[in-house]
């Protein structure tokens, strides 16, 4: 929120001086005023009206409680006293307020006023008393509109209009990989426009919480890099969440955040409605929380553990699970943060030994010494599929990533892993 807007100049007789300020007396109180200013202007005036070499640059600094943003401008002309006219329009924010979007507003304001001054001496010829006139009105409208509407349109004269909008800044989105599954948090159909990017329009129908990024690019028949950029764009604006590929061979376990689910009955009701099968959901009239109560849902979530697949969990609790959508049951816990996925990774020591053998072979070849065969090639050395798989067996690539990159099923991956002698599968 903007606390104040003020316009200051360098007066040839008084030095740095505040001409207009909104609210009144917020920066330089008039004589007899009992209001305390937001900060001591004389102390920081050298930053707001600096030397000419520091002008035309964004300046931002903090006092004890506030942040000041300004872009001083110094214009040189023989028509000005001392052949120069220096002015600055500044915004005052709370010190803790993110100021990236306000910096853009400050730069645009200074640029517009500089253009108006160069064209028609809009600023230097203004003989209005302090806190009156067009410049004061501009500061007043700007403060009110940006705080209330985050945008402002101010007509300056017949040929100039100021249009400013505060665009929110968001943190960078998390890294996006081919095996991530995007899930929409808003109704994307209601946001679409015929003028949207063509790749975006092709991608939207396949964002359903089931298809991975790689699958979406194949189904949409679009370049993967363009699809990834489109999904990152939606992710940046909070329209999507990222999930793992759902599989009955996957393993999930509860976190400490499950306590919040246990204590929050509203979340339990939300979960019951979300996970209910359509046929059950339509017939459930006995309970507001759906066909499965909150206590049953808590019991089910507590039964999940590492090393237990979703398939095994479903079979063990089939009497209750046949009333709910198991994919939505898992997804709800992941979204709320009280379930985590225990990924599986494959690691082998045969890759290291092969590198050593290849290094020895190359060394012998360089010295022109004829040698016998150092090792007997096995299937993994000649099969191109195995060679391609081997680069993922270093313990840093999860099964989802391997299956997505190689375009194979998890069952096919397990059968290929059996061809390696020293493969260990770890969960973490």
């Amino acid at each position: 929120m903007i606390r104040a807007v003020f316009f200051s100049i360098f007066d040839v007789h008084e030095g740095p001086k505040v001409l207009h300020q909104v609210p009144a007396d917020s920066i330089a109180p008039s004589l007899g005023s009992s209001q305390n200013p937001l900060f001591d202007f004389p102390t920081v005036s050298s930053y707001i009206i600096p030397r000419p070499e520091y002008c035309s640059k964004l300046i931002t600094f903090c006092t004890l409680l506030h942040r000041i943003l300004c872009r001083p401008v110094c214009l040189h002309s023989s028509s000005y006293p001392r052949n120069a006219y220096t002015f600055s329009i500044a915004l005052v924010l709370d010190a803790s307020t993110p100021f990236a979007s306000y910096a853009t507003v400050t730069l645009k304001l200074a640029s517009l006023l500089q253009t108006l001054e160069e064209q028609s001496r809009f600023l230097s010829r203004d003989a209005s008393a302090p806190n009156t006139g067009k410049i004061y009105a501009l500061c007043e409208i700007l403060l009110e509109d940006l705080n209330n509407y985050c945008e402002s349109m101010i007509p300056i004269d017949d040929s100039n209009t100021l249009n400013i909008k505060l665009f929110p800044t968001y943190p960078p989105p998390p890294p996006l990989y081919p095996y991530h599954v995007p899930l929409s948090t808003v109704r994307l159909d209601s946001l679409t426009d015929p003028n949207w990017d063509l790749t975006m329009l092709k991608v939207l129908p396949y964002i359903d919480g089931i298809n991975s990024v790689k699958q979406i690019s194949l189904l949409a028949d679009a370049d993967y890099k363009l699809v990834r950029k489109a999904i990152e764009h939606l992710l940046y604006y909070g329209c999507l969440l990222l999930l793992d590929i759902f599989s009955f061979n996957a393993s999930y376990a509860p976190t400490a955040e499950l306590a919040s689910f246990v204590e929050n009955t509203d979340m339990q009701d939300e979960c019951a409605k979300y996970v209910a099968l359509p046929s059950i959901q339509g017939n459930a009239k006995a309970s507001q929380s759906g066909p499965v109560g909150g206590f049953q849902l808590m019991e089910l979530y507590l039964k999940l553990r590492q090393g237990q697949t979703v398939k095994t969990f479903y079979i063990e609790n089939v009497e209750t699970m046949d009333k709910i959508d198991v994919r939505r049951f898992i997804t709800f816990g992941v979204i709320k943060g009280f379930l985590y996925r225990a990924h599986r990774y494959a690691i082998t020591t045969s890759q290291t030994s092969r590198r050593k053998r290849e290094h020895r072979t190359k060394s012998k070849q360089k010295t022109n010494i004829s040698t016998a065969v150092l090792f007997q090639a096995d299937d993994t050395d000649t099969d191109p599929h195995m060679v391609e798989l081997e680069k993922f067996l270093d313990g840093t690539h999860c099964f989802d990533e391997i299956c997505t990159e190689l375009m194979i099923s998890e069952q096919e991956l397990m059968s290929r892993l059996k061809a390696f002698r020293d493969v260990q599968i770890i969960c973490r």
Side-chain angles (χ1 to χ4, degrees):
M1 181 177 181
I2 302 175
R3 293 298 180 184
V5 179
F6 65 95
F7 177 79
S8 56
I9 64 169
F10 181 83
D11 189 279
V12 294
H13 301 293
E14 302 178 31
K17 178 182 178 180
V18 177
L19 279 185
H20 307 288
Q21 51 189 317
V22 181
D25 299 330
S26 58
I27 308 300
S30 57
L31 293 176
S33 175
S34 60
Q35 181 176 341
N36 294 325
L38 297 176
F39 55 89
D40 185 33
F41 178 76
T43 304
V44 300
S45 61
S46 59
Y47 299 102
I48 298 171
I49 305 292
R51 295 180 178 181
E53 54 265 29
Y54 295 109
C55 292
S56 300
K57 298 177 182 177
L58 178 67
I59 296 177
T60 172
F61 59 93
C62 287
T63 59
L64 185 61
L65 299 174
H66 300 91
R67 179 183 295 274
I68 296 94
L69 290 86
C70 62
R71 180 184 176 269
V73 177
C74 182
L75 300 176
H76 298 276
S77 175
S78 58
S79 62
Y80 296 127
R82 296 189 184 181
N83 299 324
Y85 180 72
T86 305
F87 70 90
S88 178
I89 186 166
L91 307 182
V92 182
L93 315 173
D94 291 328
S96 58
T97 302
F99 63 93
S101 57
Y102 293 98
T104 306
V105 170
T106 305
L107 293 172
K108 187 171 184 178
L109 275 173
S111 177
L112 174 68
L113 294 180
Q114 179 180 350
T115 302
L116 291 173
E117 175 62 21
E118 291 173 343
Q119 290 177 351
S120 61
R121 298 292 190 265
F122 177 79
L123 302 175
S124 59
R125 290 180 180 176
D126 184 28
S128 304
N131 298 330
T132 60
K134 292 184 177 181
I135 303 176
Y136 174 76
L138 185 148
C139 295
E140 191 175 29
I141 296 172
L142 194 67
L143 176 68
E144 182 178 352
D145 286 358
L146 290 183
N147 280 341
N148 293 329
Y149 312 110
C150 294
E151 60 183 357
S152 180
M153 186 181 71
I154 307 172
I156 305 298
D157 52 32
D158 294 338
S159 56
N160 292 284
T161 301
L162 173 64
N163 290 283
I164 282 183
K165 184 171 184 178
L166 283 173
F167 290 96
T169 55
Y170 302 100
L176 183 65
Y177 297 106
Y179 56 90
H180 278 150
V181 176
L183 174 68
S184 62
T185 58
V186 297
R187 292 188 177 274
L188 296 174
D189 294 339
S190 63
L191 302 177
T192 56
D193 185 275
N195 297 321
W196 274 27
D197 179 73
L198 293 177
T199 303
M200 181 73 77
L201 294 176
K202 293 176 67 176
V203 162
L204 292 181
Y206 302 104
I207 298 178
D208 55 3
I210 299 175
N211 298 320
S212 66
V213 178
K214 186 70 172 289
Q215 289 173 323
I216 291 174
S217 68
L218 295 174
L219 293 171
D221 192 21
D223 182 72
Y224 168 74
K225 292 182 179 179
L226 296 178
V227 171
R228 178 177 176 179
K229 187 175 293 186
I231 294 177
E232 284 179 339
H233 187 78
L234 295 173
L235 196 62
Y236 175 78
Y237 286 103
C239 299
L240 300 177
L241 292 174
L242 294 181
L243 304 174
D244 300 304
I245 297 175
F246 177 78
S247 169
F248 278 94
N249 291 324
S251 176
Y252 293 86
T255 68
E257 296 296 326
L258 185 61
S260 62
F261 178 78
V262 174
E263 298 170 356
N264 193 334
T265 56
D266 292 337
M267 190 186 296
Q268 295 172 16
D269 293 343
E270 180 186 0
C271 178
K273 294 175 182 178
Y274 181 75
V275 304
L277 291 171
S279 58
I280 301 296
Q281 192 177 28
N283 298 328
K285 300 179 181 179
S287 174
Q288 294 180 353
S289 62
V292 180
F295 182 77
Q296 290 175 299
L297 291 171
M298 285 186 285
E299 281 188 327
L300 291 173
Y301 280 122
L302 287 170
K303 290 179 180 179
L304 290 168
R305 62 182 183 275
Q306 278 200 31
Q308 179 193 50
T309 64
V310 175
K311 179 180 178 180
T312 304
F313 166 78
Y314 185 89
I315 294 173
E316 292 177 354
N317 303 276
V318 65
E319 293 183 0
T320 306
M321 293 299 297
D322 62 355
K323 302 177 183 178
I324 65 179
D325 187 326
V326 62
R327 182 183 63 82
R328 285 181 164 233
F329 173 79
I330 296 296
T331 300
F332 186 88
V334 173
I335 293 174
K336 296 298 183 180
F338 58 80
L339 278 188
Y340 73 94
R341 169 82 178 273
H343 285 281
R344 288 184 292 174
Y345 300 81
I347 185 170
T348 178
T349 58
S350 61
Q351 189 175 18
T352 304
S353 60
R354 180 181 295 125
R355 287 176 180 173
K356 292 180 180 179
R357 293 194 297 265
E358 290 176 351
H359 178 70
R360 271 182 271 151
T361 304
K362 291 179 181 179
S363 299
K364 294 292 184 179
Q365 290 173 349
K366 287 180 181 180
T367 55
N368 295 322
I369 300 176
S370 60
T371 59
V373 177
L374 296 177
F375 64 94
Q376 184 67 35
D378 55 16
D379 293 339
T380 61
D381 296 308
T382 57
D383 190 342
H385 296 296
M386 297 304 179
V387 174
E388 188 179 16
L389 172 61
E390 191 175 24
K391 65 182 180 181
F392 295 102
L393 305 184
D394 57 359
T396 61
H397 304 278
C398 65
F399 274 26
D400 284 356
E401 179 181 359
I402 299 173
C403 292
T404 303
E405 291 292 340
L406 301 182
M407 299 297 293
I408 59 175
S409 65
E410 191 170 321
Q411 183 178 2
E412 175 65 19
L413 173 61
M414 292 299 295
S415 64
R416 292 188 186 183
L417 289 176
K418 293 178 181 178
F420 291 88
R421 294 187 296 271
D422 304 323
V423 173
Q424 293 183 352
I425 297 176
I426 57 176
C427 295
R428 61 182 182 186

